Amino acid sequence: MRRFSVPILLLLVTLGALAAPGRAADKVRVVATTTDLKALTEAVGGDLVEVDALARGNQNPHDLEVRPSLMVKVRRADLIVMNGLELDQWAEVVIQGANNPKLVPGAPGRVDASEGILVLEVPTTRVDRSMGDIHPVGNPHYTTDPGMAPAITANILNGLVRVAPQGRPAFEKNRQAFLAKLEQAEAGWVAAMAPLKGTKVIVDHNMWVYFLTRFGLVQAASIEERPGIPATPTHVAKVIQLIKDERIRAIMTLPWGDAKLAARIAEEGGAKVVPMAPGVGGAKGTSGYIDTVDYNVKMLAQALK
Amino acid sequence: MRALAYIALLCLALATPLAPLTAAGQDKDEEIAALRRELENMRKTMSTLAERLQALEAQPAPAPAGQAASGQAPSGQPYVGDVAQAPPGSAPPSMMDLARPREPFALYRQRGAGQLLFDMGVTGDFIANLTQRNVDKANAGTFADRENRFFPREIELSFFGQIDPYARAEVRVEAGEENQGEINLKLAEANLTLMTLPFGTQLKLGQMRNRFGLLNEIHEHDRPQIDTPNVLVRFLGEEGLVERGAEAVWVPQLPFYIQLIAGVFDGDNETLFGRGKISEPLVTGRVRTFFDFDEFGAVQLGASVASGPNADRQQTTVLGVDAKYKYKPENWLHPLITVGGEWLYLWKPFTTEGVDDNGDGIIDHPAENRTRHKQGWYAWVDVQPWRRWLFGVRYDWTEFPDARGREWAIGPYVTFMPSEFLRFRLGYKHTERDKRDLFGDNGGSARIVDEILLQATFILGAHPAHPF
């Protein structure tokens, strides 16, 4: 073993030297688990932050493969913004593998963006896995609703201030500017969706309840009979019948959903498939948070005309 | 004109005393309007507070102390919440913080005695195997002394979670059939990890599955095939390396991922080491790195070493290199192709027996210390065209560490997963050895072994994800 000791020592010294320089700029390094949270963090942080997302916009954030390349991003971060509500539990494994003491549970470099959110679909009865991959603390897809942005950005602001208190005035200013812009855009979305209030839609995964509630639409059924479990033929037949009976016109789909099945149901029932952007970057032209909501509103409004 | 002048004077005379009354009326109107506005604001605030209260009541646990809870705008209403001040004193723990006594009692008071602050889960792993009679007699199958049986291999009860802001712990107790009809209960793992040490290091202390190679750290029910690869069983024993001691992990802050692990252990593994003294320790090391080829393909490379004295205090060393590649097409929820493999090289010293050539009672060739050089490897490929179905095959080749001879095996298998918590596997394994008498229990022998293997695995409760 002694013959190996010199190369091992050299390797350790080299790595130590490479690791030492640390950060290039004074920006706060932030990692967000989803692209929505990345966009909202950028909106608050502005030029003072450098934000990376762990999941892509068209990726299923429930079930991300924990790659060591994600740990590289987390290893260097000062702050991690997490969706919470058990959507991104895989991030804990990434944090553990990254050996970054600033982000371990209880550390100030963690932001749970769901704090203070009015959570929908919180089970009120006993739940177990016979119900599928159910979220026992409620539906975690609150970032689809632009009305949640004030609360989310408030949580992000608090986190940023914890790690970079000197940036508070700039963060607050950025946040107010973003919320003003969002409010302006929201007026247009509300107007576009107003004639569709009460309209029923089908979803492939139970992800749009916050978005639909915001604009007064109703989710009639989900192609997934139970979350995370593929639909049975009986359930598919029921959904098709429901579309016919209720004259439902739109099936909102996700990039990772079963596109063939959605297309078949739409064809047999006489509805349209509406490919939605589940997050920022989840479809063409959705590079920012406002763009993404705008895309989803337009896609749905157009399909339901 | 005079009459008009009188009327004007009269109006002025009447208006002069009434003027204060009119002003008072206007003030009252303004006051009423202000009160109405205030009432409206209070109504909105009440409404928002009611919704927030409802939300808080719906949540199973209260928000952590010191964290800001910001209101959310209900549909059609303006957002009224504001940003809370950052909690004081939330700086990273210093060395002095680490040295101070911990006070977790606040957590206990906050959550109450009836609530668990950690996760727990149960895993069940059942195996069935069918093989030839001579293999059964010689205990020469993949699951020695359990041939032609259906048995619980690993029923595991696990507890894991944060101890405090600085450390986490895991405890796993498992029961399983190791010999025909005998269920053994044992401590599989019990360790704590200090997570906030300086320079991005972590320290794991206790009993653990060592991070050696690709599969050793993974529990049997989570491995990619029904059985453990032959080279790992022959070199490290059926249990693999499960040791007591300490393991330090360093992930340097680099543009690419590299993980360096060094450990010091008792060396209880009887197959390879067996000295069992921390004063003469088993020393382990591992380097792991990872590259993303593109968004959808990635490879992990690793090298491991374990070196320690055996029961006779002879230094034994095993070196391993491993690789794993996964390809996951865009928008797929699972990989389409997974390829992995591991190669082990063993330096195993032993002492020869003295030889008396002519039977005169004098040792002509005295006992001497020699070293066996042995190696083995395995490789597998998995193809998962559908979420619920996976098809794979593994090839094994290994020498025997304590005897001359080698064996190879090939085993195709198919996996069906109704959900991520339930899995069934059916496999076939064909093994050929170059000697008949390597396994000879009960006077039997087996050079060629054919086996049909079945595995059923379930998970109840929490189960942490495995990286890559």
Side-chain angles (χ1 to χ4, degrees):
Chain A
M1 285 306 290
R2 278 182 192 163
R3 78 184 82 159
F4 297 120
S5 57
V6 173
I8 288 172
L9 198 66
L10 278 173
L11 175 73
L12 290 175
V13 169
T14 312
L15 289 172
L18 280 168
R23 52 206 299 174
D26 285 336
K27 288 189 175 185
V28 180
R29 285 177 172 162
V30 186
V31 167
T33 55
T34 67
T35 49
D36 280 357
L37 295 176
K38 175 182 184 276
L40 292 170
T41 307
E42 282 170 339
V44 177
D47 296 337
L48 300 179
V49 300
E50 186 183 293
V51 193
D52 244 323
L54 297 182
R56 294 191 305 274
N58 59 357
Q59 234 175 347
N60 183 354
H62 295 89
D63 193 19
L64 201 74
E65 184 176 69
V66 177
R67 288 182 175 193
S69 50
L70 305 181
M71 294 171 190
V72 174
K73 294 177 181 178
V74 172
R75 175 72 185 88
R76 291 177 285 170
D78 302 304
L79 189 80
I80 186 163
V81 182
M82 299 167 78
N83 187 87
L85 302 179
E86 301 193 352
L87 180 79
D88 43 13
Q89 278 182 308
W90 43 265
E92 296 296 350
V93 184
V94 179
I95 293 166
Q96 276 172 40
N99 286 30
N100 185 343
K102 293 180 214 166
L103 309 184
V104 298
R110 288 166 72 104
V111 173
D112 181 349
S114 70
E115 279 175 19
I117 294 290
L118 177 60
V119 182
L120 299 179
E121 297 185 337
V122 181
T124 50
T125 56
R126 179 191 158 84
V127 293
D128 61 36
R129 285 193 185 143
S130 66
M131 298 166 175
D133 191 10
I134 197 159
H135 293 282
V137 291
N139 193 307
H141 301 290
Y142 57 85
T143 59
T144 56
D145 173 5
M148 298 291 182
I152 300 168
T153 52
N155 290 328
I156 292 170
L157 172 56
N158 285 334
L160 286 172
V161 168
R162 280 201 297 274
V163 297
Q166 71 284 0
R168 186 178 190 113
F171 298 146
E172 281 179 346
K173 195 177 158 194
N174 292 341
R175 177 172 175 262
Q176 289 306 330
F178 171 75
L179 292 180
K181 207 171 153 190
L182 184 74
E183 202 177 331
Q184 204 178 355
E186 198 175 351
W189 299 330
V190 169
M193 298 295 260
L196 303 172
K197 270 198 173 176
T199 306
K200 289 182 179 174
V201 293
I202 303 286
V203 298
D204 62 349
H205 174 69
N206 190 11
M207 168 159 184
W208 299 102
V209 62
Y210 292 93
F211 178 86
L212 296 173
T213 306
R214 169 66 48 188
F215 297 111
L217 279 75
V218 179
Q219 179 180 312
S222 169
I223 293 178
E224 268 183 343
E225 189 175 1
R226 282 165 285 191
I229 295 181
T232 58
T234 318
H235 180 70
V236 169
K238 271 186 195 171
V239 173
I240 293 170
Q241 195 55 49
L242 184 73
I243 292 172
K244 287 177 180 171
D245 293 346
E246 305 271 341
R247 295 186 180 177
I248 294 169
R249 288 173 285 160
I251 300 177
M252 299 163 73
T253 62
L254 296 167
W256 59 83
D258 189 339
K260 283 181 188 168
L261 180 63
R264 182 166 75 83
I265 293 171
E267 193 184 338
E268 289 184 28
K272 280 183 194 166
V273 170
V274 187
M276 303 289 283
V280 173
K284 271 187 183 174
T286 59
S287 55
Y289 184 77
I290 294 176
D291 298 338
T292 306
V293 180
D294 195 56
Y295 171 91
N296 286 330
V297 167
K298 281 180 181 162
M299 288 296 284
L300 198 56
Q302 204 171 359
L304 293 172
K305 258 183 190 173
Chain B
M1 284 298 293
R2 189 168 285 184
L4 280 173
Y6 283 128
I7 291 168
L9 274 172
L10 185 66
C11 286
L12 191 66
L14 284 171
T16 304
L18 282 175
L21 286 176
T22 312
Q26 282 170 354
D27 284 350
K28 274 193 177 173
D29 286 348
E30 278 174 17
E31 200 175 330
I32 288 165
L35 281 169
R36 276 185 182 153
R37 277 200 299 276
E38 199 168 328
L39 196 65
E40 181 63 18
N41 282 339
M42 283 179 72
R43 193 189 63 77
K44 281 179 183 173
T45 308
M46 289 283 284
S47 168
T48 309
L49 286 172
E51 293 210 27
R52 286 178 65 185
L53 183 65
Q54 193 185 356
L56 286 168
E57 281 174 350
Q59 285 171 357
Q67 299 286 335
S70 301
Q72 168 269 324
S75 183
Q77 288 188 19
Y79 172 70
V80 294
D82 201 1
V83 179
Q85 296 292 318
S90 29
S94 66
M95 291 303 285
M96 283 305 291
D97 290 334
L98 293 173
R100 270 188 214 115
R102 314 288 160 82
E103 291 188 15
F105 312 112
L107 276 178
Y108 177 83
R109 281 199 299 267
Q110 187 185 335
R111 299 291 292 261
Q115 281 182 286
L116 293 174
L117 295 170
F118 55 87
D119 291 317
M120 58 182 168
V122 179
T123 308
D125 188 37
F126 295 87
I127 300 286
N129 80 102
L130 290 170
T131 186
Q132 303 106 307
R133 278 189 190 174
N134 63 313
V135 176
D136 191 344
K137 185 180 175 187
N139 291 333
T142 293
F143 300 98
D145 202 20
R146 286 157 295 172
E147 289 85 358
N148 293 316
R149 282 185 63 75
F150 181 90
F151 60 94
R153 175 170 61 174
E154 196 179 79
I155 309 298
E156 180 189 277
L157 179 61
S158 54
F159 308 94
F160 48 94
Q162 288 290 132
I163 303 168
D164 63 14
Y166 313 101
R168 58 178 286 111
E170 59 181 326
V171 175
R172 295 174 199 275
V173 179
E174 65 182 40
E177 183 174 302
E178 292 177 3
N179 299 100
Q180 189 170 326
E182 287 177 24
I183 300 285
N184 295 318
L185 180 70
K186 64 186 176 194
L187 183 66
E189 285 191 271
N191 53 66
L192 68 92
T193 305
L194 300 172
M195 302 175 73
T196 55
L197 298 180
F199 312 114
T201 53
Q202 288 186 353
L203 188 65
K204 194 171 178 181
L205 304 157
Q207 180 174 323
M208 65 198 82
R209 294 201 70 89
N210 297 59
R211 282 178 264 198
F212 180 92
L214 264 186
L215 299 184
N216 188 69
E217 69 172 302
I218 300 172
H219 286 241
E220 285 172 311
H221 64 262
D222 269 333
R223 290 182 182 164
Q225 293 92 31
I226 299 171
D227 62 319
T228 304
N230 289 6
V231 62
L232 298 184
V233 176
R234 303 294 172 229
F235 283 23
L236 306 175
E238 199 171 318
E239 283 293 307
L241 270 184
V242 182
E243 290 287 341
R244 290 155 200 174
E247 197 173 68
V249 185
W250 182 39
V251 180
Q253 200 167 313
L254 295 171
F256 60 92
Y257 183 81
I258 188 161
Q259 185 188 48
L260 302 159
I261 300 172
V264 180
F265 298 94
D266 285 343
D268 289 322
N269 181 290
E270 287 179 1
T271 309
L272 207 53
F273 305 106
R275 181 67 186 143
K277 302 281 183 190
I278 197 72
S279 53
E280 297 168 63
L282 160 67
V283 178
T284 63
R286 178 159 170 78
V287 181
R288 186 166 73 110
T289 190
F290 180 88
F291 301 99
D292 277 316
F293 287 143
D294 50 44
E295 283 188 52
F296 314 113
V299 68
Q300 175 185 287
L301 304 169
S304 311
V305 66
S307 184
N310 62 18
D312 297 326
R313 294 187 158 177
Q314 295 162 311
Q315 194 72 12
T316 305
T317 301
V318 60
L319 183 76
V321 291
D322 55 85
K324 189 177 177 184
Y325 168 79
K326 269 190 192 180
Y327 173 70
K328 192 172 176 180
E330 191 172 8
N331 296 334
W332 279 44
L333 295 171
H334 51 83
L336 173 63
I337 296 169
T338 306
V339 182
E342 195 169 353
W343 172 77
L344 265 63
Y345 194 90
L346 175 67
W347 290 267
K348 188 165 188 179
F350 68 102
T351 306
T352 60
E353 288 184 9
V355 179
D356 175 7
D357 280 343
N358 47 19
D360 60 1
I362 298 168
I363 302 295
D364 300 297
H365 301 283
E368 56 181 309
N369 292 333
R370 291 187 187 168
T371 302
R372 290 193 182 102
H373 295 258
K374 301 287 182 175
Q375 60 179 312
W377 60 275
Y378 68 90
W380 89 91
V381 58
D382 283 344
V383 178
Q384 192 176 356
W386 303 289
R387 194 173 177 186
R388 287 176 163 183
W389 291 92
L390 181 148
F391 306 89
V393 62
R394 192 186 76 214
Y395 182 85
D396 289 86
W397 186 94
T398 185
E399 293 176 309
F400 291 95
D402 294 316
R404 290 178 185 276
R406 60 186 69 93
E407 66 180 354
W408 65 267
I410 189 158
Y413 48 90
V414 57
T415 306
F416 173 62
M417 293 160 280
S419 71
E420 61 181 304
F421 311 108
L422 182 63
R423 187 185 62 211
F424 299 99
R425 268 202 192 111
L426 179 65
Y428 164 75
K429 187 176 177 187
H430 174 82
T431 307
E432 281 194 31
R433 295 162 183 146
D434 66 349
K435 287 188 171 54
R436 178 170 292 278
D437 55 355
L438 287 163
F439 296 83
D441 286 4
N442 309 313
S445 66
R447 195 179 77 77
I448 294 176
V449 179
D450 287 296
E451 294 165 289
I452 293 171
L453 305 169
L454 176 73
Q455 181 186 27
T457 309
F458 69 84
I459 295 169
L460 275 178
H463 195 72
H466 290 285
F468 195 60

